[in-house]
Amino acid sequence: MAFHMLERPCPHKPKPVFMTPIDKSAVETILRPLDLTDDHYRRLMDLMTEDIVKGMNPQTHPAANIKCFPTFVRSVPDGTEQGDFLALDLGGTNFRVLLINLNGQEVKMESKIFIIPQHIMLGSGVQLFDHIADCIFKFITDHKLQGKKLPLGFTFSFPCRQEGLDKAVLTVWTKGFNCEGVVGKDVVELLHAAFKRRGDMPNVKCLAVINDTVGALISCAHSDRQCAIGLILGTGTNACYIEDLQNVKTWTGDDGEPRQVLINCEWGAFGNDGNLSFIQTDFDKAIDKHSINPGKQIYEKMISGMYMGEIARLAIERLRKNHLLFEGEGSYHLATRGRFYTKYVSEIEGDDVTNFTVTRQIFDELELTNHNEQDYRLVRHVCNLVSKRAAYLASAGIACLLNKMNKKEVTVGVDGSLYRFHPFFHDLMMEKIQALIRPNIRFKLMLSHDGSGKGAALVAAVASKLKDKDDRGRRGSKV
Amino acid sequence: MIKAGLNENELQALRRLGGEPNIQSSNFQSSSSMISHSLAEASSSMPVPETPYSGVTVKIEYAGACFDEGQTRRKRLSLKFPGNEIAGTIYDIGANLPNSNYTVGDRVIIVPDDDSNTGYTEFLPVEDTSRVIQVPNNVPLEVAAMLPGSALTAYAAVNCAKPHVEKLRKVKSCVNVLVVGAGGLGLWTIKLAKYFLGHDCNNVRVFVADNSIDRLLTAQDHGCYDIIHWNEEDHEQYIHERTLDSCRGGVDVIIDFVGSHRSMQRALKVLNREGVILVGGNSTSETNISLTALAAKQQSIVGIPQGNLNQLIELLNAVADKTLEVPQYQVFPVDEANKVFEDLTECRITGRAVFKFGSQSSAHLVDNH
């Protein structure tokens, strides 16, 4: 990789008095592919609707991109959930243990974050679950909960095929994890096996395993009963929604009330069969080629935080190489894959447009030495295009779900760093969803914070109630 | 490639000093005679500087690997060689010195002055003998080497933070101290905090933040209360949340050895009212501070003072009588300097690195905690 030996910028070297005006058409040619039209988004919605139906049909499910796994969660909380619950949140390098007290609308939470070292992310499944059990034990000890009976809800944010409320089989590792002996196995069983190996946690039992989209939906529904969609816009992207049982042809559970179930779309994989090539740019193709999973998670790669910075970087580099930015002068960092962090996109777009202080600061961090006002404006423009496309693509997905459900009023519970910290994401989505949905549908986008903790506890509470009812029923029948 | 600041001549001298270029440690036992030959050869290959009239010449045995903490992400490091952590033996004594003060062969450390980047050298003439301090017998020289630099800076920081921590302990159930940077300075700070607090330390919690998980795990082994991953890729607000999530009740004292624009802004966001930020002087960054916010929240930002001679002597004694625990360190032969600096910046080595000068090119890992 080329290493540029940089000179310190000389404050006294004279700059030309008149700046060369930029070649607008050259810039537009390079950036136009990032600017999609409503026709593109509508076409995407049609393709997505088809794919969702395929996911819920047993014949087409194995080859479907959008798998639409049923979650076995049948309803949203009804406000009677009570008690103390443990929750686990595993979705990345940070692993959280939470103690949650539910009392009607009141929710109290205490939590601790544990780091998962690299060698455990790549070690054996036994090591991983032993480490998790160890962290839970430390938490229980710190909070003096040893004697207490603790039902546990587990938010496990990796693609799973659920076979029951407390049975989830991992289909593939993502987000940098690769522990052997876990794919194809039930993660709740692996967790309980780790508890058993230790022998010192007899009072902890996992009653429910969910994924982060379900957590977002359930957590939001706790305060807004109209919530029927959960959306994650963070390092990755995914959504879940409430579907009528009759549409879920792959359903293997019971047929009783309520005749609905939450469906985990795993919509990041949309486009895996190439049906999104009509909107993929060179930048997207380059990212896919160099990713750890080429050909997979195509829709996700155009939206989520893991890749957004890189899309911007590639566009910026192309402009630079064509002498449309920084007078063609780059830096080691700007040329390094992955170095233009997604947070820069948020920060640049949130910057003050008179002074561009934050943008300059970022260029300093990237060791770019030649920059002027045109560069700040153009880089901001690139960031606008990239984040707008991401927001609109996600909006098209949500509009697709809203149209499919066809409910009159729906709240969408959203969580994730992109949604939370990008200055315009919410507004962009509100605008675009409104433009793409059927006119009779009304919707809200609501931040569902801490879905992974609160959501898991709420589902565990429901599971606990069902279990108690079950136990009483069985006991009753013996009499 | 990272330039270690050793030019070709210096590297040649090093190679000659070490004997044949590819000598492995196993060869040493059988070739010690060869080594003493090449030692004699080497000592005449680099001219020994003249001993100052009222000073001494120190033969350098160990030097701590020194570089600026805040610059680990950049590809050009500002390295200091031999740096400000030097330990060795007295080689020669100036004619004008009373002979009871020093003896040839005394084990000593040198108090750093401003000129620590003179390039590779084996013999250091020191004019001011107040800078040359004898090392107690039970303190290994490689440990003593670290004291005038990182240990002393950490000492100065903890000492400066102490009155503030004491004041808060009286009124708060729990005082949170956040150390930014889990490198050598951070590790010394954890140990020194324990030393200062003694056994009565259950309401002072020391947290360590760093970009590198490997360094954080090492810090955890040194006994801090908790570690916080400041992942440079994460949004700033997420980092604030993460920090406040771990440091329940907010942060009262922050010791920032990194001192970058981002670390300072994060510090200001998580600092409690009446909180103090102590900043190390390593970084070349500038940052913006809202003066009204500072005044409204009665916060202060203090530059970490330079350590003084008395503190250094106290450090030596504390290490000698084992009331101060020494952080994890490894000794490397000085001809591996380039690789070691690279490994340090990539966090393949966590803990301190100390270079051993002289003929033995066997590296031994000392892991003590």
Side-chain angles (χ1 to χ4, degrees):
Chain A
M1 211 170 282
F3 171 35
H4 299 255
M5 288 295 275
L6 300 161
E7 301 165 8
R8 292 218 169 277
C10 174
H12 306 298
K13 183 165 151 208
K15 293 208 163 174
V17 175
F18 300 103
M19 299 203 275
T20 343
I22 198 170
D23 180 354
K24 282 193 259 184
S25 65
V27 171
E28 258 149 42
T29 312
I30 292 176
L31 298 180
R32 191 177 309 116
L34 287 169
D35 199 2
L36 304 173
T37 65
D38 270 8
D39 282 341
H40 287 122
Y41 295 116
R42 287 191 195 282
R43 184 165 160 205
L44 184 142
M45 282 169 68
D46 290 339
L47 290 167
M48 187 180 262
T49 312
E50 276 175 34
D51 264 25
I52 288 179
V53 172
K54 282 195 197 145
M56 292 195 285
N57 192 317
Q59 274 111 345
T60 47
H61 175 87
N65 291 317
I66 305 185
K67 291 291 186 197
C68 289
F69 295 115
T71 62
F72 286 82
V73 177
R74 304 282 286 276
S75 57
V76 296
D78 60 11
T80 64
E81 294 78 19
Q82 294 254 13
D84 284 321
F85 301 89
L86 275 184
L88 301 181
D89 177 11
L90 178 65
T93 47
N94 287 330
F95 164 63
R96 262 197 329 161
V97 183
L98 304 100
L99 174 66
I100 298 175
N101 172 270
L102 295 169
N103 189 3
Q105 276 297 307
E106 265 183 61
V107 181
K108 283 197 250 163
M109 292 204 286
E110 288 186 49
S111 66
K112 186 161 160 91
I113 298 184
F114 297 91
I115 289 183
I116 302 207
Q118 183 87 336
H119 67 92
I120 292 200
M121 278 171 68
L122 304 170
S124 74
V126 167
Q127 259 186 316
L128 173 67
F129 284 95
D130 278 343
H131 179 74
I132 292 174
D134 195 46
C135 296
I136 301 173
F137 182 75
K138 284 200 180 98
F139 183 84
I140 291 180
T141 317
D142 280 345
H143 285 79
K144 302 196 187 16
L145 297 165
Q146 285 92 329
K148 215 165 149 41
K149 211 157 163 50
L150 291 166
L152 184 151
F154 189 4
T155 302
F156 184 70
S157 304
F158 298 92
C160 280
R161 192 184 64 247
Q162 205 126 1
E163 295 178 1
L165 195 51
D166 60 353
K167 195 164 151 83
V169 173
L170 178 69
T171 57
V172 64
W173 278 121
T174 55
K175 301 186 242 189
F177 276 75
N178 201 3
C179 302
E180 56 89 17
V182 185
V183 174
K185 300 264 180 41
D186 171 17
V187 295
V188 179
E189 212 178 277
L190 294 173
L191 182 65
H192 284 154
F195 290 165
K196 200 152 174 225
R197 278 195 292 276
R198 297 177 62 99
D200 55 9
M201 294 179 6
N203 291 318
V204 184
K205 190 157 155 67
C206 179
L207 295 186
V209 55
I210 62 170
N211 111 336
D212 49 5
T213 58
V214 171
L217 198 167
I218 296 282
S219 173
C220 176
H222 192 233
S223 22
D224 181 342
R225 290 218 80 206
Q226 285 178 332
C227 184
I229 297 181
L231 172 64
I232 295 290
L233 286 168
T235 316
T237 179
N238 190 12
C240 73
Y241 73 107
I242 303 181
E243 180 62 277
D244 293 329
L245 275 186
Q246 69 195 32
N247 293 332
V248 188
K249 316 277 184 218
T250 48
W251 180 242
T252 53
D254 70 75
D255 228 15
E257 289 294 333
R259 303 212 74 248
Q260 62 181 26
V261 70
L262 265 59
I263 295 290
N264 168 18
C265 300
E266 287 295 339
W267 77 6
F270 181 42
N272 284 9
D273 60 357
N275 63 355
L276 288 180
S277 56
F278 71 102
I279 50 175
Q280 259 187 319
T281 64
D282 285 345
F283 313 127
D284 300 306
K285 293 188 187 132
I287 284 173
D288 183 42
K289 183 164 135 197
H290 291 104
S291 67
I292 203 169
N293 49 354
K296 304 254 185 320
Q297 304 295 103
I298 300 296
Y299 182 58
E300 183 175 75
K301 282 172 180 159
M302 294 195 279
I303 298 177
S304 74
M306 185 151 184
Y307 311 95
M308 185 182 283
E310 182 62 7
I311 301 174
R313 189 190 72 83
L314 291 173
I316 289 170
E317 275 286 85
R318 179 169 287 180
L319 289 168
R320 177 190 71 78
K321 287 179 186 155
N322 284 280
H323 289 265
L324 297 161
L325 269 178
F326 313 128
E327 296 188 320
E329 282 174 42
S331 75
Y332 172 84
H333 294 300
L334 190 61
T336 303
R337 209 184 306 284
R339 180 57 182 83
F340 195 89
Y341 304 137
T342 294
K343 77 174 173 193
Y344 289 165
V345 175
S346 296
E347 290 173 354
I348 289 171
E349 289 196 72
D351 199 1
D352 126 53
V353 291
T354 320
N355 297 312
F356 291 102
T357 353
V358 175
T359 311
R360 284 177 214 250
Q361 179 69 41
I362 291 172
F363 288 174
D364 268 350
E365 281 177 27
L366 294 171
E367 295 191 328
L368 291 162
T369 47
N370 189 343
H371 41 88
N372 61 27
E373 169 116 5
Q374 176 68 81
D375 298 317
Y376 308 142
R377 294 190 193 184
L378 186 48
V379 168
R380 188 194 176 91
H381 178 57
V382 171
C383 292
N384 279 341
L385 285 172
V386 174
S387 65
K388 191 172 73 168
R389 188 184 72 153
Y392 287 175
L393 285 170
S395 303
I398 293 296
C400 169
L401 292 177
L402 285 169
N403 285 351
K404 184 171 199 304
M405 293 195 300
N406 211 11
K407 290 198 170 101
K408 278 206 137 121
E409 285 194 51
V410 178
T411 299
V412 181
V414 195
D415 197 4
S417 51
L418 215 51
Y419 180 78
R420 294 180 61 210
F421 303 130
H422 188 277
F424 314 129
F425 226 80
H426 169 88
D427 294 336
L428 288 166
M429 287 190 70
M430 287 298 293
E431 171 207 326
K432 199 45 121 186
I433 297 174
Q434 187 62 60
L436 295 171
I437 49 173
R438 289 205 191 98
N440 60 320
I441 298 179
R442 290 197 11 217
F443 74 98
K444 276 200 234 128
L445 281 183
M446 211 172 103
L447 177 66
S448 176
H449 195 27
D450 242 338
S452 301
K454 200 166 113 182
L458 284 165
V459 177
V462 170
S464 180
K465 246 198 301 192
L466 287 172
K467 184 164 169 292
D468 288 345
K469 207 165 77 170
D470 236 11
D471 287 346
R472 277 198 297 274
R474 262 186 270 129
R475 265 183 267 133
S477 67
K478 280 190 196 152
V479 170
Chain B
M1 258 313 287
I2 295 171
K3 294 163 57 168
L6 300 181
N7 62 37
E8 259 316 296
N9 288 334
E10 292 165 343
L11 285 172
Q12 285 273 16
L14 273 173
R15 280 189 218 115
R16 262 181 274 137
L17 192 64
E20 297 301 315
N22 287 321
I23 276 197
Q24 302 295 318
S25 51
S26 56
N27 292 345
F28 260 86
Q29 272 65 34
S30 54
S31 49
S32 46
S33 58
M34 182 161 67
I35 298 311
S36 47
H37 277 304
S38 42
L39 234 192
E41 215 189 284
S43 8
S44 56
S45 68
M46 280 196 92
V48 181
E50 213 175 286
T51 304
Y53 193 54
S54 307
V56 296
T57 300
V58 175
K59 179 174 187 305
I60 301 181
E61 304 280 350
Y62 293 95
C66 296
F67 63 97
D68 289 342
E69 293 254 357
Q71 314 237 339
T72 50
R73 280 190 307 126
R74 297 175 188 223
K75 286 295 166 177
R76 270 172 308 137
L77 292 177
S78 66
L79 299 175
K80 301 190 182 104
F81 213 89
N84 50 16
E85 300 188 338
I86 298 172
T89 51
I90 299 220
Y91 182 77
D92 190 22
I93 302 175
N96 200 31
L97 272 187
N99 36 19
S100 53
N101 281 359
Y102 297 102
T103 320
V104 169
D106 272 355
R107 299 156 76 245
V108 293
I109 51 177
I110 301 178
V111 176
D113 65 5
D114 292 325
D115 185 23
S116 57
N117 202 4
T118 54
Y120 176 74
T121 183
E122 298 160 45
F123 296 95
L124 201 63
V126 185
E127 283 206 25
D128 179 5
T129 53
S130 62
R131 288 177 57 207
V132 180
I133 312 214
Q134 282 131 328
V135 176
N137 283 333
N138 62 340
V139 177
L141 258 188
E142 64 261 29
V143 172
M146 293 190 273
L147 300 181
S150 50
L152 189 57
T153 306
Y155 185 110
V158 178
N159 193 41
C160 189
K162 191 166 115 162
H164 196 77
V165 172
E166 292 299 327
K167 185 175 86 174
L168 286 171
R169 276 175 97 178
K170 297 200 179 97
V171 292
K172 283 183 103 167
S173 58
C174 181
V175 180
N176 289 334
V177 178
L178 175 65
V179 180
V180 179
L185 286 166
L187 299 179
W188 271 113
T189 304
I190 300 172
K191 293 297 187 188
L192 281 161
K194 279 205 201 152
Y195 166 75
F196 272 91
L197 291 168
H199 292 292
D200 172 33
C201 56
N202 49 6
N203 67 342
V204 179
R205 295 179 173 170
V206 177
F207 298 85
V208 181
D210 197 288
N211 180 39
S212 153
I213 291 186
D214 294 312
R215 280 156 73 145
L216 283 174
L217 292 172
T218 301
Q220 197 166 50
D221 289 340
H222 284 63
C224 58
Y225 183 80
D226 201 4
I227 48 177
I228 307 172
H229 187 203
W230 279 11
N231 185 349
E232 285 303 309
E233 294 187 27
D234 286 332
H235 285 84
E236 295 299 311
Q237 298 97 311
Y238 180 71
I239 294 176
H240 306 150
E241 279 176 20
R242 204 35 209 88
T243 307
L244 290 172
D245 203 67
S246 288
C247 307
R248 287 306 163 88
V251 187
D252 301 299
V253 176
I254 300 178
I255 302 178
D256 185 353
F257 292 117
V258 171
S260 68
H261 165 74
R262 284 199 190 256
S263 74
M264 275 303 291
Q265 292 300 322
R266 289 169 199 166
L268 286 163
K269 272 287 192 311
V270 302
L271 189 67
N272 278 337
R273 297 187 73 84
E274 299 180 56
V276 178
I277 303 177
L278 290 103
V279 196
N282 279 332
S283 162
T284 50
S285 310
E286 291 180 350
T287 196
N288 296 319
I289 299 172
S290 159
L291 297 173
T292 38
L294 203 70
K297 294 193 248 180
Q298 301 166 70
Q299 297 166 332
S300 15
I301 302 178
V302 179
I304 295 176
Q306 272 210 329
N308 62 42
L309 191 57
N310 288 332
Q311 295 171 335
L312 182 54
I313 293 176
E314 186 183 332
L315 274 172
L316 262 176
N317 292 330
V319 172
D321 62 26
K322 302 210 192 300
T323 48
L324 171 62
E325 287 168 22
V326 177
Q328 184 183 324
Y329 66 92
Q330 290 171 265
V331 181
F332 299 94
V334 69
D335 50 339
E336 285 178 24
N338 274 348
K339 173 142 201 324
V340 169
F341 279 116
E342 219 184 283
D343 286 345
L344 280 169
T345 47
E346 299 294 329
C347 302
R348 285 190 286 263
I349 301 175
T350 58
R352 285 307 312 280
V354 180
F355 294 121
K356 184 168 174 37
F357 285 52
S359 53
Q360 277 191 337
S361 54
S362 61
H364 73 266
L365 286 142
V366 181
D367 188 67
N368 60 326
H369 46 87

